Amino acid sequence: ALTDWVSETNLSLYERYGVFSRSEAHSRLSVQMETYANKVNVEAIATRDIAMTMILPAAMTYQKSLADSIAATRAAMGEGWDAKVLDPQREVLALSSMQIADMKRGIDSLLAIQEDLEGSDHGETERAYAYREKVIPAMDAVRERCDLLERLVSDNLWPLPKYREMLFI
């Protein structure tokens, strides 16, 4: 929507009423595009940091507790019992392990995209579009994994308020 700031219709309107000259309108667009990209960049850094330092450790602690529970149950039951009893626990362990792996790959991808954009010589408009087209989808991918892990990881391990807690407390 910001690019409409400098549409021919708007530029004519600005000039007719003495609001902005064409160069002033283009300068304002440049500042707005840079501001947009910088805000998305800060949000992406926060997404990465929260995922790496809060969500991932909590999910891995949960993963370990599941694995330990399966191993302890197997050891306590000894020989001669039906090991299929542990299949549901193994499924939960596999699901959480896959989400952890997917989230880590998403975090790595987000970091790579940001580093690529920071090292490029894009102008403000191209940079803003790149953040919209590349960084936001990468952030969303990390968020999707975090949301699923939020539903799996036990409340006592989860480091943030859960969505349901924010809705009903």
Side-chain angles (χ1 to χ4, degrees):
L2 290 174
T3 55
D4 284 342
W5 187 263
V6 292
S7 70
E8 188 56 43
T9 303
N10 288 339
L11 289 174
S12 296
L13 181 71
Y14 301 149
E15 286 181 322
R16 185 172 342 127
Y17 291 104
V19 177
F20 299 118
S21 68
R22 287 180 179 268
S23 64
E24 288 171 330
H26 282 282
S27 292
R28 285 184 178 263
L29 173 64
S30 179
V31 168
Q32 291 296 324
M33 290 293 195
E34 185 175 356
T35 299
Y36 172 81
N38 288 339
K39 285 181 180 180
V40 173
N41 188 47
V42 168
E43 290 174 12
I45 291 168
T47 299
R48 280 191 352 241
D49 289 352
I50 290 170
M52 279 298 290
T53 64
M54 298 175 85
I55 307 302
L56 196 59
M60 292 171 74
T61 299
Y62 177 70
Q63 179 186 38
K64 182 182 182 318
S65 73
L66 288 171
D68 290 347
S69 175
I70 292 168
T73 302
R74 189 174 41 234
M77 298 302 284
E79 296 296 321
W81 69 284
D82 187 2
K84 290 183 180 181
V85 170
L86 290 176
D87 284 350
Q89 290 93 322
R90 286 189 191 102
E91 288 174 17
V92 174
L93 177 60
L95 178 60
S96 62
S97 297
M98 286 186 296
Q99 296 308 314
I100 290 168
D102 286 348
M103 186 175 72
K104 177 62 170 81
R105 282 190 289 275
I107 293 166
D108 292 345
S109 174
L110 177 57
L111 177 61
I113 291 167
Q114 283 182 282
E115 287 176 345
D116 182 50
L117 287 174
E118 291 305 313
S120 68
D121 292 332
H122 294 306
E124 293 87 7
T125 301
E126 294 83 14
R127 187 169 175 253
Y129 277 108
Y131 271 83
R132 185 189 71 191
E133 300 297 324
K134 295 178 181 179
V135 174
I136 290 177
M139 289 169 50
D140 289 343
V142 172
R143 170 72 190 271
E144 286 176 20
R145 299 300 132 225
C146 289
D147 288 348
L148 202 145
L149 285 167
E150 177 181 348
R151 294 191 300 271
L152 290 174
V153 175
S154 57
D155 289 352
N156 63 324
L157 295 175
W158 196 254
L160 302 166
K162 290 195 172 188
Y163 185 67
R164 64 176 157 71
E165 293 171 344
M166 290 188 286
L167 284 177
F168 300 113
I169 293 181

